[in-house]
Amino acid sequence: MADLADVEQALVTLISAALYPTGTGNPSAIGSPVRVYRGWPNAAALDSDLAAGTMNVSVFHDPGMSRNTSRYWPVPSQASAVAPTITVTVSGNAVTIGGIVTAGNVAGLQYGSPLVTVAYIALSTDTSVSIAAALSALAPGTAANGPVLTFGVVHPLQTTTPRGSTVFPFASTAGVMVGNVVYGPPIFAGGPGFPVVTTVKSFISNVSITTSHPSANLATAGGLFTFAPTYPIAAAVMVPQPVLTEVRRQDQGFRVSCWCTTPALRDLTAGLIDNAIAGLRNASGNLTRFLPIATTPQMGWIRWARTYVNDVPSKDNLWRRDEVYMIEYPTTLLESDPAMLFGGGTLSIGTPAVGTAQMGAPQPL
Amino acid sequence: MNGPELQAKLYAGYVKAALRLGTPYLQYRPTGPANPIASGNLVQSLTAAFDPAPGFEFHHPALFGKPVWYALLDGTQTVVGDYLVGSAGTYFIAAMQPLLPIAAVLCNRVLTINRPAGNAGVGAQPYGGVIAGSEAAELTAWPASVLTKSRGEMGDTRLPGDVKLPWSEILLPYGGIELRFGDVILDDNAVRYTVSATERTDLGWRLLAVQTTA
């Protein structure tokens, strides 16, 4: 958020660039070392600096020179784009959590018919394994093993051949029976040994079955088999985006004080600073009155107000000159708003799925 | 008999008196700006007695505001600036002037003296004001006499409940460091002072400091 401190820091940066046009690794434009900082100097350090021939330039706001100039309706805009660091990849009925876990990233899944959406906000203590486990807990009918979450319904194998079913030949590969079964509604409507299982019904059109039993007939062997869904599974990640809103605007006086060891150096220092501010240019190279503030696209409207030359402390080997500028700048709120995770679907199963509430992206700049 | 011979006899007399009147003290000789009362600075254990009056009559107790005591001890073993730590308290030797009683100062606080540091670089620098974390230690953990003077004035914050802040006179050995006004003192009770005036004498530092508080 733009604040008084940001404006002062922007002035410090501008003044430092004017006094050290080729960088602080080279001598300053006045030939003597200069320190530029926010806040008043502390007496002990200033004494030491003056004795050593080092100039000081301090930047401080002027108390009493404030005016509320708010006149714009608050309009949120995206400050910058932040990319999520967690990845979720779908392969068949398996979802793998990867990437770098960053607190605040949201991993989500969307599946089923009607669509069901679950989402999980990563904590600083999370890992890809704990995120997979958390998503599995939100999505019934899934199982997590390490960072991989698998969709499927584990169901006890029936000992009675289901009437009306068609069992195609199974192939045995490495001890796993794989095949296709087509179930019709009558089976679930009352066939002996097959109670109506709501969860299975949703996979009724076409399922693939695997069983851990090596050789027995699927219909008669004991053990477990898995119904793997054939509907699409979608996965997405999201990270909340910084959104900036100007909520106020004020005009404030800022005092740039030059603390110099000689009158000549004072003239040189203050002159360079005033020239830099008066000769402010924008990115296109044109003269401007707008000073960039902080890293966000905010500007301060800067105007010269007054100057003050003070020879009173010359007995302390100090020559001072102040330049006061009025800067009108915005006060902004920086918020973190969720971005869109999925474009539709039911928001939760049971508990609310945080992070999917905003269905539209923040307003562009 | 000349001056040195008379001085030797005087100190020999102090030793005999201390043996009958005194108690044991650990003698420390500071070797640097930090921790003068440290085992590495221990010289020896010697017997000493202290009287608030130079006549050594042991008639009157010490009263408020009088930090200077007079010591009966073996003056050939001590130098100005030595600390003596015993059951009666911690003293530092302030004066061993020829043919005169040995003067010691009773310490009631342990002080650390810091100097506010400015920015070290050039160009754009961090905040320029006095920041506690950026202070550079001048003297660390030095026992000293801190006595309140009558004068006081309002602090900078001027809160409704504020009272006038007292000034203190601080006595401590020289320590090899040139103290300056503006130096910040922190005592063992977390009370903060700012040095207003410094006076370096042959007895040690006499500082005038104002207590500071938010």
Side-chain angles (χ1 to χ4, degrees):
Chain A
M1 55 177 287
D3 183 52
L4 190 77
D6 295 321
V7 182
E8 290 182 355
Q9 190 57 49
L11 281 172
V12 166
T13 303
L14 176 68
I15 293 167
S16 176
L19 294 171
Y20 284 91
T22 56
T24 52
N26 295 314
S28 74
I30 66 167
S32 297
V34 191
R35 309 193 207 284
V36 188
Y37 48 83
R38 295 176 50 220
W40 292 104
N42 78 62
L46 185 60
D47 278 346
S48 173
D49 280 352
L50 292 172
T54 300
M55 313 303 126
N56 279 228
V57 176
S58 62
V59 177
F60 206 75
H61 68 282
D62 240 20
M65 295 184 67
S66 305
R67 194 165 62 97
N68 189 336
T69 57
S70 302
R71 54 190 178 278
Y72 300 124
W73 189 254
V75 178
S77 61
Q78 187 172 0
S80 59
V82 181
T85 58
I86 295 177
T87 61
V88 287
T89 51
V90 180
S91 175
N93 64 330
V95 178
T96 303
I97 312 296
I100 299 167
V101 177
T102 304
N105 277 208
V106 178
L109 299 171
Q110 193 172 55
Y111 60 92
S113 178
L115 283 173
V116 171
T117 303
V118 296
Y120 177 74
I121 302 176
L123 307 175
S124 59
T125 53
D126 269 327
T127 62
S128 55
V129 173
S130 64
I131 292 172
L135 283 172
S136 177
L138 292 169
T142 62
N145 183 14
V148 179
L149 177 146
T150 306
F151 278 80
V153 177
V154 177
H155 190 75
L157 187 62
Q158 303 301 307
T159 56
T160 304
T161 303
R163 289 180 298 176
S165 66
T166 302
V167 180
F168 291 97
F170 288 88
S172 175
T173 305
V176 177
M177 302 290 288
V178 179
N180 293 316
V181 177
V182 177
Y183 290 91
I187 300 301
F188 292 95
F194 267 88
V196 174
V197 181
T198 306
T199 309
V200 176
K201 274 185 172 178
S202 63
F203 312 138
I204 203 163
S205 59
N206 190 9
V207 296
S208 63
I209 302 172
T210 62
T211 177
S212 58
H213 201 282
S215 59
N217 186 301
L218 175 67
T220 57
L224 301 176
F225 64 89
T226 301
F227 290 87
T230 56
Y231 53 68
I233 301 166
V237 288
M238 178 274 281
V239 63
Q241 299 295 308
V243 173
L244 205 63
T245 308
E246 179 181 323
V247 292
R248 196 179 69 216
R249 183 163 280 268
Q250 56 262 295
D251 208 13
Q252 170 70 52
F254 290 88
R255 181 177 295 268
V256 177
S257 302
C258 304
W259 311 79
C260 303
T261 55
T262 68
L265 282 171
R266 174 179 64 184
D267 295 343
L268 204 53
T269 306
L272 275 172
I273 292 170
D274 197 33
N275 272 354
I277 293 174
L280 203 58
R281 291 180 184 274
N282 61 19
S284 304
N286 300 319
L287 286 170
T288 181
R289 296 267 56 81
F290 292 99
L291 173 71
I293 299 171
T295 53
T296 46
Q298 300 164 86
M299 292 287 184
W301 179 33
I302 183 167
R303 294 98 65 212
W304 179 88
R306 63 172 181 262
T307 191
Y308 173 58
V309 178
N310 188 359
D311 278 1
V312 173
S314 59
K315 62 182 180 299
D316 306 324
N317 191 32
L318 168 63
W319 278 265
R320 177 177 166 185
R321 176 171 158 185
D322 291 4
E323 298 283 347
V324 180
Y325 299 92
M326 296 302 297
I327 301 180
E328 184 185 299
Y329 66 95
T331 291
T332 51
L333 289 182
L334 183 60
E335 298 171 299
S336 186
D337 284 359
M340 186 174 70
L341 190 61
F342 293 108
T346 305
L347 283 178
S348 69
I349 294 178
T351 55
V354 180
T356 59
Q358 179 167 330
M359 306 309 271
Q363 183 169 342
L365 291 174
Chain B
M1 183 176 291
N2 55 23
E5 290 172 348
L6 189 57
Q7 182 73 70
K9 287 184 177 295
L10 191 62
Y11 282 163
Y14 284 178
V15 172
K16 289 180 180 177
L19 287 174
R20 284 156 182 80
L21 299 171
T23 53
Y25 283 81
L26 294 177
Q27 178 190 3
Y28 294 89
R29 184 161 298 163
T31 55
N35 304 309
I37 309 296
S39 58
N41 294 337
L42 181 63
V43 178
Q44 62 182 330
S45 175
L46 54 75
T47 304
F50 295 89
D51 189 336
F56 298 113
E57 296 174 339
F58 294 92
H59 277 175
H60 303 289
L63 299 177
F64 289 109
K66 304 292 182 186
V68 178
W69 292 63
Y70 299 91
L72 287 174
L73 49 74
D74 186 354
T76 64
Q77 300 296 308
T78 59
V79 297
V80 170
D82 280 1
Y83 278 100
L84 299 170
V85 181
S87 57
T90 298
Y91 299 83
F92 72 83
I93 304 293
M96 296 180 63
Q97 292 153 354
L99 306 181
L100 293 173
I102 298 170
V105 172
L106 179 60
C107 303
N108 59 342
R109 286 293 178 201
V110 179
L111 306 181
T112 291
I113 303 181
N114 299 322
R115 180 158 301 161
N119 289 309
V122 297
Q125 295 294 305
Y127 198 82
V130 176
I131 300 171
S134 66
E135 293 167 349
E138 301 291 307
L139 297 174
T140 303
W142 281 64
S145 164
V146 181
L147 296 178
T148 302
K149 308 302 284 185
S150 58
R151 190 178 162 195
E153 61 184 56
M154 292 300 290
D156 296 330
T157 50
R158 294 182 179 273
L159 296 172
D162 276 358
V163 294
K164 289 188 174 181
L165 298 172
W167 289 77
S168 296
E169 186 178 71
I170 297 172
L171 306 176
L172 76 162
Y174 169 52
I177 298 293
E178 289 300 326
L179 301 176
R180 294 206 298 248
F181 84 95
D183 285 350
V184 175
I185 301 173
L186 196 67
D187 76 9
D188 52 335
N189 201 28
V191 176
R192 195 174 166 93
Y193 308 82
T194 301
V195 174
S196 174
T198 60
E199 180 184 11
R200 184 185 162 190
T201 71
D202 58 352
L203 285 73
W205 283 110
R206 185 166 70 159
L207 309 176
L208 191 61
V210 63
Q211 191 172 321
T212 54
T213 178

